[in-house]
Coordinates of all heavy atoms in Angstrom, one line a residue:
L557 N 9.0 -19.9 -53.3 CA 8.3 -19.9 -54.6 C 7.6 -18.6 -54.9 O 7.6 -18.0 -56.1 CB 7.3 -21.1 -54.7 CG 8.0 -22.4 -54.7 CD1 6.9 -23.5 -54.5 CD2 8.8 -22.7 -55.9
K558 N 7.0 -18.0 -53.9 CA 6.3 -16.6 -54.1 C 7.4 -15.6 -54.5 O 7.1 -14.7 -55.3 CB 5.6 -16.2 -52.8 CG 4.3 -17.0 -52.6 CD 3.6 -16.5 -51.3 CE 2.2 -17.2 -51.1 NZ 1.6 -16.7 -49.9
G561 N 8.2 -16.0 -57.9 CA 7.1 -15.6 -58.8 C 6.9 -14.1 -58.9 O 5.9 -13.6 -59.6
G562 N 7.7 -13.3 -58.3 CA 7.6 -11.9 -58.4 C 7.3 -11.2 -57.1 O 7.0 -10.0 -57.1
E579 N -2.7 -15.9 -48.8 CA -2.8 -16.8 -50.0 C -2.6 -16.0 -51.3 O -3.3 -15.0 -51.5 CB -4.1 -17.6 -50.0 CG -4.1 -18.6 -51.1 CD -5.4 -19.5 -51.1 OE1 -5.5 -20.4 -50.3 OE2 -6.3 -19.1 -51.9
N580 N -1.7 -16.5 -52.2 CA -1.6 -15.9 -53.5 C -1.1 -17.0 -54.5 O 0.1 -17.3 -54.6 CB -0.5 -14.8 -53.4 CG -0.5 -14.0 -54.7 OD1 -0.6 -14.5 -55.8 ND2 -0.3 -12.6 -54.5
L581 N -2.1 -17.6 -55.1 CA -1.9 -18.8 -56.0 C -1.1 -18.4 -57.2 O -0.3 -19.2 -57.7 CB -3.1 -19.5 -56.3 CG -3.9 -20.1 -55.1 CD1 -5.3 -20.7 -55.6 CD2 -3.1 -21.2 -54.4
Q582 N -1.3 -17.2 -57.7 CA -0.6 -16.8 -58.9 C 0.9 -16.7 -58.7 O 1.7 -17.1 -59.5 CB -1.2 -15.5 -59.4 CG -0.6 -15.1 -60.8 CD -1.0 -16.1 -61.9 OE1 -2.1 -16.5 -62.0 NE2 0.0 -16.6 -62.6
L583 N 1.3 -16.0 -57.5 CA 2.7 -16.0 -57.2 C 3.3 -17.3 -57.1 O 4.5 -17.5 -57.6 CB 2.9 -15.2 -55.9 CG 2.9 -13.6 -56.0 CD1 3.1 -13.1 -54.6 CD2 3.9 -13.1 -57.0
V584 N 2.6 -18.2 -56.4 CA 3.2 -19.6 -56.3 C 3.3 -20.3 -57.6 O 4.4 -20.8 -57.9 CB 2.2 -20.4 -55.4 CG1 2.7 -21.9 -55.3 CG2 2.2 -19.9 -54.0
A585 N 2.3 -20.2 -58.5 CA 2.4 -20.8 -59.8 C 3.5 -20.3 -60.6 O 4.3 -21.1 -61.2 CB 1.1 -20.7 -60.5
D586 N 3.7 -19.0 -60.6 CA 4.8 -18.4 -61.4 C 6.1 -18.7 -60.8 O 7.1 -19.0 -61.6 CB 4.6 -16.8 -61.4 CG 3.4 -16.4 -62.2 OD1 2.8 -17.2 -63.0 OD2 3.0 -15.2 -62.0
G587 N 6.2 -18.8 -59.5 CA 7.5 -19.2 -58.9 C 7.9 -20.6 -59.1 O 9.2 -20.9 -58.9
C588 N 7.0 -21.5 -59.4 CA 7.3 -22.9 -59.6 C 8.2 -23.1 -60.8 O 8.8 -24.2 -61.0 CB 6.1 -23.7 -59.8 SG 5.3 -24.1 -58.2
E619 N -2.4 -23.6 -51.7 CA -1.0 -23.4 -52.1 C -0.2 -24.7 -52.1 O 0.6 -25.0 -53.0 CB -0.4 -22.3 -51.3 CG -1.0 -20.9 -51.5 CD -0.5 -19.9 -50.5 OE1 -0.1 -20.3 -49.4 OE2 -0.4 -18.7 -50.8
L622 N -1.2 -27.0 -54.9 CA -0.8 -26.5 -56.2 C 0.7 -26.8 -56.4 O 1.1 -27.3 -57.5 CB -1.0 -24.9 -56.2 CG -0.5 -24.3 -57.5 CD1 -1.2 -24.8 -58.8 CD2 -0.6 -22.7 -57.4

Side-chain angles (χ1 to χ4, degrees):
L557 294 171
K558 286 181 175 179
E579 183 178 280
N580 192 320
L581 296 177
Q582 190 59 54
L583 279 181
V584 173
D586 292 344
C588 280
E619 290 172 332
L622 177 61

